Amino acid sequence: LRATRGAGGVWQVDRFAWSDPAALEFEASGAFDPANIAPLRALSVSDARVVFPLATARYARGVFAAHGFGNLALDGELHGSVEVDAQGVARLAMATEKFDARDPAHDIAVRGLRGGIDWRREGVGDAQPLAWRNARFAGWSVGALHSRWQSRDGALSGSLDAKGFGGTLRGHDVVLREPGSNGDWLRGKFSLQGMSYDSADGSLGAANVGAEATVRVSGALAAPRIVADAILRGGQYLAGSAYVELPATPIAARLDATFDANRWNIASFEWNDPGVLEVAANGEWQTTSPAFPRLRVDLRRADLARATARYARSWLGTRGYRDVSADGDLRGAFAFDAGRVREFSLAAHEVSFVDGAGRFELHDLDGALDWSAREARPPTTLGWQRIEFYKVPFGAARMHVASDTDSLRLAEPLAVDVLGGQLRLEKFIAQPASPRGDRYEASFAVVGVQLPQMSAAFGWPIFPGNLSGGIPEIEFVGDRIDFHGGLDLYLFDGHLGVNGMSLERPFGAAPALGANIHFENFDLQQVTSAFSLGGMSGRLFGTIDGLRLLDWSTVAFDAYLRTSGGGRMSYKAVDDITGIGSGAPSMQTIALKLVNTFGFGKLGLRCRLRDEVCTMGGIEPLPNDIPADDSLAARGYAIVEGAGIPRIDIVGHRRRVDWPTLVRRLREATQGQAPVIK
């Protein structure tokens, strides 16, 4: 050490040499003022040689720990020099033949680093190559990198070529400055070719990515602002249940966002797939979950035929709409904040949706909807040429919609032609910002629907007459519809009521329907005629409680059909009822040749369906406990009690019947011909 204390107590260090050959060697000179808060005035270090990991253990462990890098492990040898003045570092030059660094706590690892950097705050430094064998930063792995950098007035500029994610990353006109400095501290033009990525949980992925982008990064290192303009060319992308395969034709995208503590604050995002999909958005995205606490999306244009096929096919498939096709032009916007919708608008032009599974069709939708939780919007109209739900066709209509800050609602009742009658929508209210989530209320009436047309649409036996009735209140929350107040229908010269009805996932995967049904005073002659059963007269009453359909297949109910006041039945009716109960017609008595009809005093048939087994009963209530081995079969149960002469009683013996077998017997009975008596 050779140093002189000058006037004012400032020390001038002419030479400070340190020689620890196994760890640290350097030559230095400088000046410092012990009385100053920042005592260092100048420092020049040359011929520095640092050998790790011993240098860390002897000299730097405390420094690294103080800056949050207590687990940093370094291995290799560095050579370099540094110059510092009152304004800070003026020059830094480093070089290495081989150097490794890793810090598990920060998920940082660099292996096989070689080359050097010659940085100068002012002037031009020497161009230096810099490369590594592989590296990892915050879960992102980068393969071999080759780059070349040159310092110009405090900024490093250069180019790079890196292998990673199965492809290549290239950068040119890249400029690096000190993070946190004014303006951009990173900017450059980058290209990706053939790159792929797969997140650890499999929720995010990409393959065969091709893109060119101009990137600018500014702000603090802990909360950088990233502005990127990109052109994408092909590739496959996965985000949750959404899978997208882009074409080779260019698609433009722009992102302006700030990343801070696992949250992206997106000032703007734009996507321009010419002629297919044009979208702009802003909001927030939490990287630790798929949630968007705040989001606004402006759909500037969507050509539904191409946009659905390109962007929505897989997402729709996971929700049970694999075979949906779309057409027309759609524009609109929606915004939500803190999990609640704040506004949405829709403008449709010749829009059509067709479900290949036959659940719904919508043709030539035109018009608009507009709602905001912040202000009342002007009234709108929305119309269509044809709608079809489960093979039931509805005619053209146009509805007038009013809007306030709480809801969208029908401005006037809407009448739609259906099956020779009308569906009258008396009320419809949508509450997008309801605390319970999306909520809808409605009431409707059905007037004069022709049952023969409905029967043909559903593939049922042809019912005579017409159908009228209504539901005073419908509530739709999420993917569940509850029908409050019941449904009243008038058919077969009697009344049918449905209550406790609910429908889950009506157009999704495995829709589920629950209801209780009762009917009274049905004309048995009309019923048996409609179902091609043997002719019967009298009045039929019944209940079907706890009805449960899953994917439109019956899985549970408690049914009881009965007559009141007796009636008459044909010999074919006797045969059909016998076949349903036992599976084997048995009309063989000579007496049957002598008469066409038979009187009966009572008729009753019960079925309790559970787990594809129907527990059968007749006029009397079902026993509380029926053995699984059907040991009660010998006692039988009365289905029909005859009246008059000749007298016919029908008794069932099988208590437990396989449900598919019973359905087959019913089908055979309703489709068969009258028996031939010899």
Side-chain angles (χ1 to χ4, degrees), residues 560-592:
Y560 177 32
L561 310 181
R562 61 196 181 278
T563 60
S564 176
R568 299 195 67 82
M569 65 176 63
S570 69
Y571 61 80
K572 181 179 186 302
V574 175
D575 188 74
D576 287 340
I577 294 173
T578 305
I580 292 170
S582 67
S586 57
M587 297 181 61
Q588 299 174 1
T589 51
I590 296 176
L592 292 175

PDB file of all heavy atoms in Angstrom, residues 560-592:
ATOM      1  N   TYR A 560     -97.166 -43.841 -10.455  1.00  0.00           N
ATOM      2  CA  TYR A 560     -98.404 -44.540 -10.097  1.00  0.00           C
ATOM      3  C   TYR A 560     -99.494 -44.078 -11.059  1.00  0.00           C
ATOM      4  O   TYR A 560     -99.885 -42.908 -11.064  1.00  0.00           O
ATOM      5  CB  TYR A 560     -98.788 -44.236  -8.650  1.00  0.00           C
ATOM      6  CG  TYR A 560    -100.102 -44.864  -8.194  1.00  0.00           C
ATOM      7  CD1 TYR A 560    -100.536 -46.095  -8.704  1.00  0.00           C
ATOM      8  CD2 TYR A 560    -100.896 -44.221  -7.240  1.00  0.00           C
ATOM      9  CE1 TYR A 560    -101.729 -46.658  -8.274  1.00  0.00           C
ATOM     10  CE2 TYR A 560    -102.087 -44.793  -6.806  1.00  0.00           C
ATOM     11  CZ  TYR A 560    -102.507 -46.007  -7.336  1.00  0.00           C
ATOM     12  OH  TYR A 560    -103.684 -46.567  -6.913  1.00  0.00           O
ATOM     13  N   LEU A 561     -99.966 -45.001 -11.911  1.00  0.00           N
ATOM     14  CA  LEU A 561    -101.051 -44.735 -12.848  1.00  0.00           C
ATOM     15  C   LEU A 561    -102.288 -45.476 -12.363  1.00  0.00           C
ATOM     16  O   LEU A 561    -102.206 -46.652 -11.976  1.00  0.00           O
ATOM     17  CB  LEU A 561    -100.677 -45.208 -14.252  1.00  0.00           C
ATOM     18  CG  LEU A 561     -99.323 -44.755 -14.811  1.00  0.00           C
ATOM     19  CD1 LEU A 561     -99.136 -45.285 -16.219  1.00  0.00           C
ATOM     20  CD2 LEU A 561     -99.210 -43.243 -14.789  1.00  0.00           C
ATOM     21  N   ARG A 562    -103.458 -44.816 -12.436  1.00  0.00           N
ATOM     22  CA  ARG A 562    -104.673 -45.426 -11.911  1.00  0.00           C
ATOM     23  C   ARG A 562    -105.899 -44.838 -12.609  1.00  0.00           C
ATOM     24  O   ARG A 562    -105.831 -43.746 -13.193  1.00  0.00           O
ATOM     25  CB  ARG A 562    -104.778 -45.188 -10.407  1.00  0.00           C
ATOM     26  CG  ARG A 562    -104.853 -43.710 -10.043  1.00  0.00           C
ATOM     27  CD  ARG A 562    -104.570 -43.475  -8.588  1.00  0.00           C
ATOM     28  NE  ARG A 562    -104.651 -42.055  -8.221  1.00  0.00           N
ATOM     29  CZ  ARG A 562    -103.679 -41.177  -8.404  1.00  0.00           C
ATOM     30  NH1 ARG A 562    -102.535 -41.564  -8.957  1.00  0.00           N
ATOM     31  NH2 ARG A 562    -103.830 -39.921  -8.040  1.00  0.00           N
ATOM     32  N   THR A 563    -106.997 -45.565 -12.537  1.00  0.00           N
ATOM     33  CA  THR A 563    -108.263 -45.067 -13.067  1.00  0.00           C
ATOM     34  C   THR A 563    -109.201 -44.747 -11.916  1.00  0.00           C
ATOM     35  O   THR A 563    -108.997 -45.185 -10.778  1.00  0.00           O
ATOM     36  CB  THR A 563    -108.929 -46.102 -13.982  1.00  0.00           C
ATOM     37  OG1 THR A 563    -109.174 -47.292 -13.227  1.00  0.00           O
ATOM     38  CG2 THR A 563    -108.058 -46.411 -15.184  1.00  0.00           C
ATOM     39  N   SER A 564    -110.238 -43.999 -12.266  1.00  0.00           N
ATOM     40  CA  SER A 564    -111.268 -43.673 -11.291  1.00  0.00           C
ATOM     41  C   SER A 564    -112.625 -43.964 -11.911  1.00  0.00           C
ATOM     42  O   SER A 564    -112.938 -43.482 -12.993  1.00  0.00           O
ATOM     43  CB  SER A 564    -111.176 -42.198 -10.895  1.00  0.00           C
ATOM     44  OG  SER A 564    -112.221 -41.843 -10.008  1.00  0.00           O
ATOM     45  N   GLY A 565    -113.389 -44.817 -11.254  1.00  0.00           N
ATOM     46  CA  GLY A 565    -114.733 -45.109 -11.742  1.00  0.00           C
ATOM     47  C   GLY A 565    -114.826 -46.236 -12.737  1.00  0.00           C
ATOM     48  O   GLY A 565    -115.902 -46.513 -13.272  1.00  0.00           O
ATOM     49  N   GLY A 566    -113.730 -46.934 -13.002  1.00  0.00           N
ATOM     50  CA  GLY A 566    -113.781 -48.076 -13.901  1.00  0.00           C
ATOM     51  C   GLY A 566    -113.945 -47.672 -15.352  1.00  0.00           C
ATOM     52  O   GLY A 566    -113.876 -46.498 -15.726  1.00  0.00           O
ATOM     53  N   GLY A 567    -114.154 -48.676 -16.224  1.00  0.00           N
ATOM     54  CA  GLY A 567    -114.290 -48.452 -17.658  1.00  0.00           C
ATOM     55  C   GLY A 567    -114.298 -49.776 -18.379  1.00  0.00           C
ATOM     56  O   GLY A 567    -114.575 -50.839 -17.792  1.00  0.00           O
ATOM     57  N   ARG A 568    -113.997 -49.737 -19.659  1.00  0.00           N
ATOM     58  CA  ARG A 568    -113.960 -50.958 -20.450  1.00  0.00           C
ATOM     59  C   ARG A 568    -112.644 -51.004 -21.220  1.00  0.00           C
ATOM     60  O   ARG A 568    -112.034 -49.956 -21.520  1.00  0.00           O
ATOM     61  CB  ARG A 568    -115.149 -51.010 -21.413  1.00  0.00           C
ATOM     62  CG  ARG A 568    -116.500 -51.012 -20.693  1.00  0.00           C
ATOM     63  CD  ARG A 568    -117.614 -51.423 -21.605  1.00  0.00           C
ATOM     64  NE  ARG A 568    -117.518 -52.814 -22.029  1.00  0.00           N
ATOM     65  CZ  ARG A 568    -117.931 -53.848 -21.288  1.00  0.00           C
ATOM     66  NH1 ARG A 568    -118.457 -53.669 -20.089  1.00  0.00           N
ATOM     67  NH2 ARG A 568    -117.818 -55.085 -21.749  1.00  0.00           N
ATOM     68  N   MET A 569    -112.226 -52.248 -21.549  1.00  0.00           N
ATOM     69  CA  MET A 569    -110.995 -52.424 -22.312  1.00  0.00           C
ATOM     70  C   MET A 569    -111.196 -53.525 -23.346  1.00  0.00           C
ATOM     71  O   MET A 569    -111.988 -54.456 -23.142  1.00  0.00           O
ATOM     72  CB  MET A 569    -109.817 -52.776 -21.390  1.00  0.00           C
ATOM     73  CG  MET A 569    -109.933 -54.115 -20.680  1.00  0.00           C
ATOM     74  SD  MET A 569    -108.447 -54.505 -19.711  1.00  0.00           S
ATOM     75  CE  MET A 569    -108.457 -53.192 -18.517  1.00  0.00           C
ATOM     76  N   SER A 570    -110.467 -53.373 -24.466  1.00  0.00           N
ATOM     77  CA  SER A 570    -110.531 -54.369 -25.529  1.00  0.00           C
ATOM     78  C   SER A 570    -109.659 -55.561 -25.178  1.00  0.00           C
ATOM     79  O   SER A 570    -108.825 -55.507 -24.275  1.00  0.00           O
ATOM     80  CB  SER A 570    -110.066 -53.757 -26.844  1.00  0.00           C
ATOM     81  OG  SER A 570    -108.680 -53.489 -26.786  1.00  0.00           O
ATOM     82  N   TYR A 571    -109.861 -56.678 -25.925  1.00  0.00           N
ATOM     83  CA  TYR A 571    -108.997 -57.833 -25.670  1.00  0.00           C
ATOM     84  C   TYR A 571    -107.554 -57.522 -26.000  1.00  0.00           C
ATOM     85  O   TYR A 571    -106.629 -58.074 -25.418  1.00  0.00           O
ATOM     86  CB  TYR A 571    -109.490 -59.068 -26.439  1.00  0.00           C
ATOM     87  CG  TYR A 571    -109.512 -58.935 -27.941  1.00  0.00           C
ATOM     88  CD1 TYR A 571    -108.361 -59.090 -28.706  1.00  0.00           C
ATOM     89  CD2 TYR A 571    -110.710 -58.679 -28.603  1.00  0.00           C
ATOM     90  CE1 TYR A 571    -108.400 -58.984 -30.070  1.00  0.00           C
ATOM     91  CE2 TYR A 571    -110.751 -58.570 -29.996  1.00  0.00           C
ATOM     92  CZ  TYR A 571    -109.591 -58.719 -30.722  1.00  0.00           C
ATOM     93  OH  TYR A 571    -109.625 -58.609 -32.083  1.00  0.00           O
ATOM     94  N   LYS A 572    -107.300 -56.593 -26.958  1.00  0.00           N
ATOM     95  CA  LYS A 572    -105.901 -56.207 -27.224  1.00  0.00           C
ATOM     96  C   LYS A 572    -105.318 -55.457 -26.021  1.00  0.00           C
ATOM     97  O   LYS A 572    -104.145 -55.622 -25.676  1.00  0.00           O
ATOM     98  CB  LYS A 572    -105.793 -55.344 -28.469  1.00  0.00           C
ATOM     99  CG  LYS A 572    -104.343 -54.941 -28.779  1.00  0.00           C
ATOM    100  CD  LYS A 572    -104.245 -54.098 -30.029  1.00  0.00           C
ATOM    101  CE  LYS A 572    -102.789 -53.835 -30.386  1.00  0.00           C
ATOM    102  NZ  LYS A 572    -102.031 -53.157 -29.327  1.00  0.00           N
ATOM    103  N   ALA A 573    -106.129 -54.613 -25.353  1.00  0.00           N
ATOM    104  CA  ALA A 573    -105.643 -53.925 -24.159  1.00  0.00           C
ATOM    105  C   ALA A 573    -105.276 -54.915 -23.074  1.00  0.00           C
ATOM    106  O   ALA A 573    -104.263 -54.772 -22.376  1.00  0.00           O
ATOM    107  CB  ALA A 573    -106.698 -52.945 -23.657  1.00  0.00           C
ATOM    108  N   VAL A 574    -106.102 -55.956 -22.913  1.00  0.00           N
ATOM    109  CA  VAL A 574    -105.773 -56.989 -21.935  1.00  0.00           C
ATOM    110  C   VAL A 574    -104.438 -57.615 -22.269  1.00  0.00           C
ATOM    111  O   VAL A 574    -103.566 -57.816 -21.415  1.00  0.00           O
ATOM    112  CB  VAL A 574    -106.883 -58.057 -21.897  1.00  0.00           C
ATOM    113  CG1 VAL A 574    -106.482 -59.204 -20.977  1.00  0.00           C
ATOM    114  CG2 VAL A 574    -108.191 -57.439 -21.438  1.00  0.00           C
ATOM    115  N   ASP A 575    -104.254 -57.932 -23.550  1.00  0.00           N
ATOM    116  CA  ASP A 575    -103.006 -58.568 -23.976  1.00  0.00           C
ATOM    117  C   ASP A 575    -101.808 -57.642 -23.764  1.00  0.00           C
ATOM    118  O   ASP A 575    -100.747 -58.062 -23.305  1.00  0.00           O
ATOM    119  CB  ASP A 575    -103.123 -58.963 -25.448  1.00  0.00           C
ATOM    120  CG  ASP A 575    -101.946 -59.812 -25.901  1.00  0.00           C
ATOM    121  OD1 ASP A 575    -101.888 -60.999 -25.526  1.00  0.00           O
ATOM    122  OD2 ASP A 575    -101.070 -59.268 -26.599  1.00  0.00           O
ATOM    123  N   ASP A 576    -101.984 -56.352 -24.098  1.00  0.00           N
ATOM    124  CA  ASP A 576    -100.877 -55.406 -23.946  1.00  0.00           C
ATOM    125  C   ASP A 576    -100.482 -55.247 -22.482  1.00  0.00           C
ATOM    126  O   ASP A 576     -99.294 -55.245 -22.135  1.00  0.00           O
ATOM    127  CB  ASP A 576    -101.266 -54.047 -24.531  1.00  0.00           C
ATOM    128  CG  ASP A 576    -101.308 -54.057 -26.055  1.00  0.00           C
ATOM    129  OD1 ASP A 576    -100.685 -54.962 -26.651  1.00  0.00           O
ATOM    130  OD2 ASP A 576    -101.942 -53.166 -26.646  1.00  0.00           O
ATOM    131  N   ILE A 577    -101.481 -55.107 -21.610  1.00  0.00           N
ATOM    132  CA  ILE A 577    -101.171 -54.937 -20.189  1.00  0.00           C
ATOM    133  C   ILE A 577    -100.512 -56.190 -19.633  1.00  0.00           C
ATOM    134  O   ILE A 577     -99.552 -56.135 -18.862  1.00  0.00           O
ATOM    135  CB  ILE A 577    -102.449 -54.595 -19.402  1.00  0.00           C
ATOM    136  CG1 ILE A 577    -102.978 -53.226 -19.844  1.00  0.00           C
ATOM    137  CG2 ILE A 577    -102.172 -54.592 -17.901  1.00  0.00           C
ATOM    138  CD1 ILE A 577    -104.324 -52.867 -19.247  1.00  0.00           C
ATOM    139  N   THR A 578    -100.999 -57.358 -20.065  1.00  0.00           N
ATOM    140  CA  THR A 578    -100.389 -58.616 -19.621  1.00  0.00           C
ATOM    141  C   THR A 578     -98.948 -58.705 -20.099  1.00  0.00           C
ATOM    142  O   THR A 578     -98.041 -59.126 -19.362  1.00  0.00           O
ATOM    143  CB  THR A 578    -101.195 -59.808 -20.155  1.00  0.00           C
ATOM    144  OG1 THR A 578    -102.543 -59.670 -19.754  1.00  0.00           O
ATOM    145  CG2 THR A 578    -100.641 -61.112 -19.615  1.00  0.00           C
ATOM    146  N   GLY A 579     -98.699 -58.298 -21.351  1.00  0.00           N
ATOM    147  CA  GLY A 579     -97.336 -58.351 -21.894  1.00  0.00           C
ATOM    148  C   GLY A 579     -96.389 -57.420 -21.174  1.00  0.00           C
ATOM    149  O   GLY A 579     -95.227 -57.745 -20.935  1.00  0.00           O
ATOM    150  N   ILE A 580     -96.889 -56.205 -20.780  1.00  0.00           N
ATOM    151  CA  ILE A 580     -96.039 -55.268 -20.052  1.00  0.00           C
ATOM    152  C   ILE A 580     -95.665 -55.836 -18.690  1.00  0.00           C
ATOM    153  O   ILE A 580     -94.527 -55.753 -18.235  1.00  0.00           O
ATOM    154  CB  ILE A 580     -96.763 -53.912 -19.902  1.00  0.00           C
ATOM    155  CG1 ILE A 580     -96.896 -53.238 -21.269  1.00  0.00           C
ATOM    156  CG2 ILE A 580     -96.006 -53.009 -18.931  1.00  0.00           C
ATOM    157  CD1 ILE A 580     -97.794 -52.023 -21.250  1.00  0.00           C
ATOM    158  N   GLY A 581     -96.639 -56.477 -18.043  1.00  0.00           N
ATOM    159  CA  GLY A 581     -96.377 -56.998 -16.693  1.00  0.00           C
ATOM    160  C   GLY A 581     -95.514 -58.224 -16.685  1.00  0.00           C
ATOM    161  O   GLY A 581     -94.674 -58.410 -15.806  1.00  0.00           O
ATOM    162  N   SER A 582     -95.690 -59.102 -17.669  1.00  0.00           N
ATOM    163  CA  SER A 582     -94.970 -60.374 -17.609  1.00  0.00           C
ATOM    164  C   SER A 582     -94.040 -60.612 -18.775  1.00  0.00           C
ATOM    165  O   SER A 582     -93.162 -61.457 -18.719  1.00  0.00           O
ATOM    166  CB  SER A 582     -95.979 -61.524 -17.566  1.00  0.00           C
ATOM    167  OG  SER A 582     -96.683 -61.596 -18.804  1.00  0.00           O
ATOM    168  N   GLY A 583     -94.291 -59.887 -19.875  1.00  0.00           N
ATOM    169  CA  GLY A 583     -93.474 -60.100 -21.060  1.00  0.00           C
ATOM    170  C   GLY A 583     -94.029 -61.168 -21.967  1.00  0.00           C
ATOM    171  O   GLY A 583     -93.492 -61.409 -23.040  1.00  0.00           O
ATOM    172  N   ALA A 584     -95.150 -61.839 -21.604  1.00  0.00           N
ATOM    173  CA  ALA A 584     -95.681 -62.942 -22.417  1.00  0.00           C
ATOM    174  C   ALA A 584     -97.199 -62.836 -22.492  1.00  0.00           C
ATOM    175  O   ALA A 584     -97.888 -63.058 -21.493  1.00  0.00           O
ATOM    176  CB  ALA A 584     -95.274 -64.286 -21.817  1.00  0.00           C
ATOM    177  N   PRO A 585     -97.774 -62.488 -23.646  1.00  0.00           N
ATOM    178  CA  PRO A 585     -99.226 -62.459 -23.786  1.00  0.00           C
ATOM    179  C   PRO A 585     -99.803 -63.845 -23.549  1.00  0.00           C
ATOM    180  O   PRO A 585     -99.193 -64.860 -23.846  1.00  0.00           O
ATOM    181  CB  PRO A 585     -99.428 -62.008 -25.237  1.00  0.00           C
ATOM    182  CG  PRO A 585     -98.147 -61.339 -25.609  1.00  0.00           C
ATOM    183  CD  PRO A 585     -97.080 -62.042 -24.844  1.00  0.00           C
ATOM    184  N   SER A 586    -101.046 -63.880 -22.995  1.00  0.00           N
ATOM    185  CA  SER A 586    -101.610 -65.196 -22.643  1.00  0.00           C
ATOM    186  C   SER A 586    -103.114 -65.248 -22.902  1.00  0.00           C
ATOM    187  O   SER A 586    -103.871 -65.773 -22.104  1.00  0.00           O
ATOM    188  CB  SER A 586    -101.338 -65.496 -21.162  1.00  0.00           C
ATOM    189  OG  SER A 586    -101.874 -64.470 -20.355  1.00  0.00           O
ATOM    190  N   MET A 587    -103.567 -64.688 -23.995  1.00  0.00           N
ATOM    191  CA  MET A 587    -104.997 -64.690 -24.304  1.00  0.00           C
ATOM    192  C   MET A 587    -105.346 -65.985 -25.042  1.00  0.00           C
ATOM    193  O   MET A 587    -105.261 -66.061 -26.258  1.00  0.00           O
ATOM    194  CB  MET A 587    -105.348 -63.469 -25.147  1.00  0.00           C
ATOM    195  CG  MET A 587    -105.106 -62.158 -24.412  1.00  0.00           C
ATOM    196  SD  MET A 587    -105.544 -60.761 -25.409  1.00  0.00           S
ATOM    197  CE  MET A 587    -107.269 -61.077 -25.667  1.00  0.00           C
ATOM    198  N   GLN A 588    -105.739 -66.980 -24.290  1.00  0.00           N
ATOM    199  CA  GLN A 588    -105.987 -68.285 -24.912  1.00  0.00           C
ATOM    200  C   GLN A 588    -107.345 -68.872 -24.527  1.00  0.00           C
ATOM    201  O   GLN A 588    -107.702 -69.944 -24.996  1.00  0.00           O
ATOM    202  CB  GLN A 588    -104.886 -69.274 -24.504  1.00  0.00           C
ATOM    203  CG  GLN A 588    -103.509 -68.839 -24.957  1.00  0.00           C
ATOM    204  CD  GLN A 588    -102.425 -69.749 -24.435  1.00  0.00           C
ATOM    205  OE1 GLN A 588    -102.717 -70.730 -23.740  1.00  0.00           O
ATOM    206  NE2 GLN A 588    -101.181 -69.446 -24.760  1.00  0.00           N
ATOM    207  N   THR A 589    -108.125 -68.192 -23.658  1.00  0.00           N
ATOM    208  CA  THR A 589    -109.410 -68.775 -23.263  1.00  0.00           C
ATOM    209  C   THR A 589    -110.440 -68.637 -24.364  1.00  0.00           C
ATOM    210  O   THR A 589    -110.479 -67.644 -25.085  1.00  0.00           O
ATOM    211  CB  THR A 589    -109.939 -68.077 -21.995  1.00  0.00           C
ATOM    212  OG1 THR A 589    -109.916 -66.683 -22.223  1.00  0.00           O
ATOM    213  CG2 THR A 589    -109.114 -68.438 -20.794  1.00  0.00           C
ATOM    214  N   ILE A 590    -111.318 -69.672 -24.456  1.00  0.00           N
ATOM    215  CA  ILE A 590    -112.339 -69.675 -25.504  1.00  0.00           C
ATOM    216  C   ILE A 590    -113.305 -68.525 -25.305  1.00  0.00           C
ATOM    217  O   ILE A 590    -113.833 -67.966 -26.268  1.00  0.00           O
ATOM    218  CB  ILE A 590    -113.092 -71.024 -25.501  1.00  0.00           C
ATOM    219  CG1 ILE A 590    -112.122 -72.147 -25.860  1.00  0.00           C
ATOM    220  CG2 ILE A 590    -114.289 -71.004 -26.419  1.00  0.00           C
ATOM    221  CD1 ILE A 590    -112.755 -73.522 -25.792  1.00  0.00           C
ATOM    222  N   ALA A 591    -113.493 -68.109 -24.047  1.00  0.00           N
ATOM    223  CA  ALA A 591    -114.451 -67.039 -23.779  1.00  0.00           C
ATOM    224  C   ALA A 591    -114.074 -65.754 -24.484  1.00  0.00           C
ATOM    225  O   ALA A 591    -114.933 -64.945 -24.831  1.00  0.00           O
ATOM    226  CB  ALA A 591    -114.547 -66.804 -22.275  1.00  0.00           C
ATOM    227  N   LEU A 592    -112.793 -65.548 -24.733  1.00  0.00           N
ATOM    228  CA  LEU A 592    -112.357 -64.317 -25.382  1.00  0.00           C
ATOM    229  C   LEU A 592    -112.841 -64.230 -26.825  1.00  0.00           C
ATOM    230  O   LEU A 592    -112.827 -63.161 -27.420  1.00  0.00           O
ATOM    231  CB  LEU A 592    -110.821 -64.211 -25.335  1.00  0.00           C
ATOM    232  CG  LEU A 592    -110.235 -64.003 -23.938  1.00  0.00           C
ATOM    233  CD1 LEU A 592    -108.714 -64.026 -24.002  1.00  0.00           C
ATOM    234  CD2 LEU A 592    -110.720 -62.704 -23.329  1.00  0.00           C
TER     235      LEU A 592
END
